[in-house]
């Protein structure tokens, strides 16, 4: 059984932030609620920044996590990013694929030396062309994580197939769902073997 002093930093972009959720929980708040119902005491740090790319995240994650995850507690780190890298700006993705992969490798290589780490891929959007780019990037993210030995959860495809997720994204801003959509996301995380093994 893990320590009762579990501290988890969730680091990423607007989907980590829970943007669009009228309950203000997002998927990160929901998975921590479930842990609490299981009798675990969890300090939940939401470090999601809207519109942030992997290049921007690479500059901030370590200082933000180090001050929240002191030695002596049960420290965990969950990353989820990549959607904003695929956004086209002035005819080009905000971050080229090669740079996204380099950012991922650098972030995870450093993080692994300090904390137990999980990585969750970017989520599907209403825009079909961008979702194709997201799914392609997610596949390459999975390969990098496999090489580094970091557990990886691919969410773009199951969310794109989820009627609840897609309906709420369509009813919202085309990217972010409301509470039920984040509930779908949370269930993907909670049924993931790597997440479950953290708390066995």
């Amino acid at each position: 059984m893990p320590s009762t002093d579990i501290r988890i930093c969730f680091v990423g972009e607007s989907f980590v932030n829970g943007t669009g959720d009228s309950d203000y929980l997002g998927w990160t708040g929901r998975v921590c609620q479930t842990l609490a119902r299981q009798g675990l005491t969890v300090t939940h740090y939401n470090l999601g920044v809207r519109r942030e790319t992997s290049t921007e995240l690479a500059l901030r994650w370590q200082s933000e996590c180090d001050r929240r995850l002191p030695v002596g507690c049960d420290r965990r780190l969950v990353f989820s990013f990549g959607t904003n890298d695929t956004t086209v700006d002035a005819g080009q993705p905000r971050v080229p694929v090669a740079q996204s992969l380099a950012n991922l490798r650098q972030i995870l290589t450093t993080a692994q030396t300090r904390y137990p780490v999980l990585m969750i891929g970017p989520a599907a959007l209403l825009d079909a062309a961008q979702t194709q780019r997201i799914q392609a990037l997610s596949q390459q993210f999975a390969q990098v994580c496999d090489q580094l030995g970091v557990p990886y959860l691919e969410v773009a495809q199951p969310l794109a197939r989820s009627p609840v997720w897609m309906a709420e994204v369509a009813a919202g801003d085309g990217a972010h769902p409301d509470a039920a959509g984040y509930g779908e996301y949370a269930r993907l995380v909670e049924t993931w073997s790597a997440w479950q093994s953290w708390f066995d």
Side-chain angles (χ1 to χ4, degrees):
M1 195 72 173
S3 161
T4 56
D5 184 17
I6 302 170
R7 304 190 189 188
I8 309 174
C9 282
F10 296 90
V11 187
E13 49 196 25
S14 58
F15 293 109
V16 168
N17 173 263
T19 300
D21 183 1
S22 56
D23 289 340
Y24 295 94
L25 290 170
W27 66 266
T28 70
R30 285 175 168 80
V31 298
C32 289
Q33 272 191 337
T34 298
L35 294 176
R37 293 189 190 107
Q38 294 169 351
L40 301 177
T41 301
V42 178
T43 300
H44 161 227
Y45 292 114
N46 188 310
L47 303 178
V49 176
R50 294 188 69 176
R51 299 200 77 251
E52 187 171 67
T53 67
S54 62
T55 299
E56 295 163 329
L57 186 147
L59 298 175
R60 72 170 174 94
W61 77 265
Q62 189 168 350
S63 63
E64 293 193 10
C65 292
D66 285 354
R67 69 186 62 185
R68 291 170 172 85
L69 301 175
V71 175
C73 65
D74 187 338
R75 309 179 293 173
R76 319 289 179 91
L77 184 51
V78 181
F79 288 106
S80 183
F81 55 83
T83 299
N84 293 321
D85 291 21
T86 69
T87 299
V88 172
D89 188 7
Q92 298 293 329
R94 290 182 64 198
V95 181
V97 171
Q99 187 61 54
S100 294
L101 299 177
N103 291 340
L104 176 69
R105 186 176 295 276
Q106 181 245 317
I107 290 166
L108 295 182
T109 298
T110 302
Q112 277 185 296
T113 67
R114 308 177 70 81
Y115 312 108
V117 178
L118 299 178
M119 176 69 193
I120 298 173
L125 309 180
L126 185 62
D127 183 276
Q130 185 167 1
T131 293
Q132 286 185 333
R133 295 194 298 274
I134 289 167
Q135 291 176 341
L137 182 63
S138 183
Q139 291 174 0
Q140 293 182 78
F141 273 11
Q143 293 173 5
V144 172
C145 287
D146 183 61
Q147 293 164 7
L148 296 176
V150 173
Y152 183 80
L153 178 63
E154 206 285 322
V155 297
Q157 291 190 41
L159 291 177
R161 294 192 297 264
S162 166
V164 173
W165 177 271
M166 295 307 297
E168 290 209 338
V169 166
D173 62 3
H176 306 99
D178 205 325
Y182 280 110
E184 292 283 292
Y185 195 131
R187 279 186 285 277
L188 292 176
V189 177
E190 290 170 350
T191 57
W192 180 26
S193 59
W195 176 261
Q196 293 175 342
S197 68
W198 257 11
F199 306 103
D200 285 342

